[in-house]
Amino acid sequence: MASSGEDMHSEDDAGTSAATVAGGIHLLDFSDEILLHILSHVPSTDLVLSVQRTCRKLAALSLDKSLIHTVLLQKDYQASEDKVKQLVKAIGREIQQLNMAGCYWLSGATVEHVACCRNLVKVNFSGCHLTSLRLSKVLSALQHLRSLAIDVSPGFDAGQLSSECKATLSRVQELRQTLFTPSYGVVPCCTSLQKLLLYFEILDRTREGAILSGQLMVGQSNVPHYQNLRVFYARLAPGYINQEVVRLYLAVLSDRTPENLHAFLISVPGSFAESGATKNLLDSMARNACLDALQLPKSWLNGSALLQHMRFNNPFYFSFSRCSLSGGHLIQRVINGGRDLRSLASLNLSGCVHCLSPDTLFRKAEDEIDSSILETLVGACCNLRHLNLSAAHHHSAEGLGRHLCQLLARLRHLRSLALPVCAVADSAPRADRAPAPPAMHAVPRGFGKKVRIGVPSGPSPFAGQPVPQPASVFWSLLRSVPFLERLELIGSNFSSAMPRNEPAIRNSLPPCSRAQSVGDAEVAAIGQLAFLRHLTLAQLPSILTGSGLVSIGLQCQQLQSLSLANLGMMGKVVYMSALSDMLKHCRRLKDLRLEQPYFSANAQFFQALSQCSCLQRLCLVSRSGTLQPDAVVAFMGRCLHVVVCHMFTGESLATCKSLQQSLLRR
């Protein structure tokens, strides 16, 4: 029998041999700093349970504090219950930050093992199965905890929390709480809160059909004042009950507004009427608070002089989504006549149809923007990283340097940008000139010669030859922001058939007339964004072939999330072939959402999609669409990382149930 030293020596030889790369260079020849950087991209379970067994050097590096200080199990669908238990047993004492958000497959008994990680400072249990008693047991052992994220589900009982658990909660400074039932959750116990994030996902009715009431919370009157609170954030899902519950939270703040409040954000779909308590709260904030971040329901800002009295100190986030905020008010009350707002990193003006016009009285959708307002905005907020101008008509006047895209090109630090389709059109369509087909120049056609979508008919542009660049303002804008990571190009009249946090709208409006001049060439321009990770394209009626999608697939190799909706003619899917060619190159794509009437999810589509080896989520929304069950089953057999597959098509209920049973059997 070989000695343990011989065993380790043989393991070193095997690890060194496996680490050999082309040119005779070994992975282990790299410095420790480079190896640590490489290992930082390895999932925590693989790092501790697999890499540690390769050789002595990697075994030592895999336990470096920089790697095991923070453990991310979120979206790590390979983290089985046994792996998580072994991980906690091996490095539990070293973990200070643990993210288990969305680990719905782990049982409560497995999550309970987190109690062994006694040095935890930050933990995220959102989406995990934890009863009140199990939560109490885990938190009782985490005396150093300062940041906590949990779900409050039906059946939660704060009375089951032990005194040790409440002592831990009293030291928590940051709490993220997702409410699925009317309750204060653990908020009354968190007396040292500085940051409170609330997500309201309460349904108006129970599964049995009984109507819920926010008045169930009235019995808990021991909610303390939050003198140390600095950040308050609330996001509401649709439903009356969510508004009733959030009012009770706000009523506590209205009694005495925290003096150190720096961020106050409320995201509400639809309308949310003010109450006496909210008015008192806003008046108190205007007198006593100096904010860095602000987001309010549109009804609270429309027609009020609230912004005029608000004080801001180095603000970094503003959201005025759906508000009737005119350009004059934006300049006078927010930018204060062009004052220095270089600290502002994020600005959301989605749905603010008047924000680039001097007044709100007589503006029509086809009216042009006031370029001087946008120029003042860009000049004052020169360090913006995130800008949202979607869900509104922003039409530029003709003239050098006055186009919206030309002005936005000055924002060199942009990482996220959302624009309406009509805003990127070069100029207004003229009545005396027939509109040219939008994509004739995108896919050249010879004398009757057929062109294969996605296959260049001439010399390859990737063979060292310069790529001809269209002289469009949109192309120039994207060339000026090469580090853009998120881009949304959405028709100003678009409304999703299945929105997430907005009420559904049955009758959608037709596309804007200026959007008719935005087609395949403009989509191809997106291909120059080498760092693009998230892309949304919706309501582009002039997509003829979808050839621009192939350029994106070839050149945007970092793309992880793709959402396409209502491209081209509504009665026919014109980009199917191009989409198939595109998907073959999207090696890092994790999330795909398609919303297109009459979409045929056939074998060709799923064969192309199967080459997206990292895909985890697929959502298909297609009125009058079809699918091939055998192709779906084959696709799920090849793409083993897919955990969410939603397909809303025109197939019969019997077909859908049969497909579901086939997938479950596999």
Side-chain angles (χ1 to χ4, degrees), residues 313-328:
N313 178 35
N314 296 323
F316 63 88
Y317 177 87
F318 282 149
S319 177
F320 305 109
S321 178
R322 308 287 179 180
C323 294
S324 58
L325 185 70
S326 70

Side-chain angles (χ1 to χ4, degrees), residues 394-451:
H394 295 315
H395 299 164
S396 302
E398 295 194 20
L400 184 63
R402 300 179 60 191
H403 196 282
L404 180 141
C405 290
Q406 294 172 328
L407 295 173
L408 294 183
R410 303 178 188 177
L411 299 174
R412 305 284 179 166
H413 301 282
L414 278 180
R415 296 295 181 269
S416 171
L417 179 62
L419 293 175
V421 176
C422 54
V424 306
D426 273 357
S427 59
R430 290 172 50 181
D432 60 343
R433 182 174 60 194
M440 288 296 288
H441 55 292
V443 182
R445 298 186 179 276
F447 295 99
K449 181 180 179 181
K450 295 183 179 180
V451 178

Side-chain angles (χ1 to χ4, degrees), residues 604-638:
Q604 175 195 1
F605 167 71
F606 282 110
Q607 180 65 35
L609 190 59
S610 297
Q611 301 188 48
C612 301
S613 56
C614 295
L615 193 69
Q616 297 177 357
R617 294 176 177 82
L618 170 64
C619 181
L620 175 61
V621 181
S622 181
R623 176 175 50 84
S624 303
T626 61
L627 61 86
Q628 294 182 3
D630 293 343
V632 178
V633 173
F635 158 72
M636 293 295 288
R638 288 190 294 264

Side-chain angles (χ1 to χ4, degrees), residues 462 478-479 481-487 524-534 551-560 588:
F462 301 99
L478 298 185
R479 185 175 54 191
V481 287
F483 299 107
L484 204 66
E485 298 177 1
R486 182 185 295 270
L487 177 63
I526 300 173
Q528 60 190 306
L529 299 175
F531 297 94
L532 190 67
R533 294 177 179 269
H534 309 277
S551 299
I552 297 173
L554 285 169
Q555 301 174 66
C556 301
Q557 289 297 299
Q558 303 298 322
L559 192 64
Q560 297 181 7
R588 291 183 172 87

Side-chain angles (χ1 to χ4, degrees), residues 548-583:
L549 296 174
V550 184
S551 299
I552 297 173
L554 285 169
Q555 301 174 66
C556 301
Q557 289 297 299
Q558 303 298 322
L559 192 64
Q560 297 181 7
S561 174
L562 175 64
S563 178
L564 305 176
N566 295 5
L567 302 187
M569 297 181 295
M570 293 297 291
K572 182 180 179 181
V573 183
V574 297
Y575 60 94
M576 187 69 172
S577 181
L579 177 63
S580 297
D581 284 345
M582 175 195 190
L583 293 175

Side-chain angles (χ1 to χ4, degrees), residues 286 300-310 329 333:
W300 295 12
L301 285 175
N302 291 343
S304 71
L306 178 65
L307 287 178
Q308 193 170 359
H309 303 291
M310 282 289 183
H329 291 164
R333 298 181 181 178

Side-chain angles (χ1 to χ4, degrees), residues 314-359:
N314 296 323
F316 63 88
Y317 177 87
F318 282 149
S319 177
F320 305 109
S321 178
R322 308 287 179 180
C323 294
S324 58
L325 185 70
S326 70
H329 291 164
L330 179 65
I331 299 300
Q332 296 171 12
R333 298 181 181 178
V334 180
I335 303 179
N336 195 15
R339 68 176 178 180
D340 183 8
L341 284 180
R342 285 180 291 181
S343 61
L344 194 65
S346 180
L347 178 61
N348 185 353
L349 296 172
S350 172
C352 296
V353 296
H354 311 291
C355 66
L356 299 181
S357 300
D359 56 63

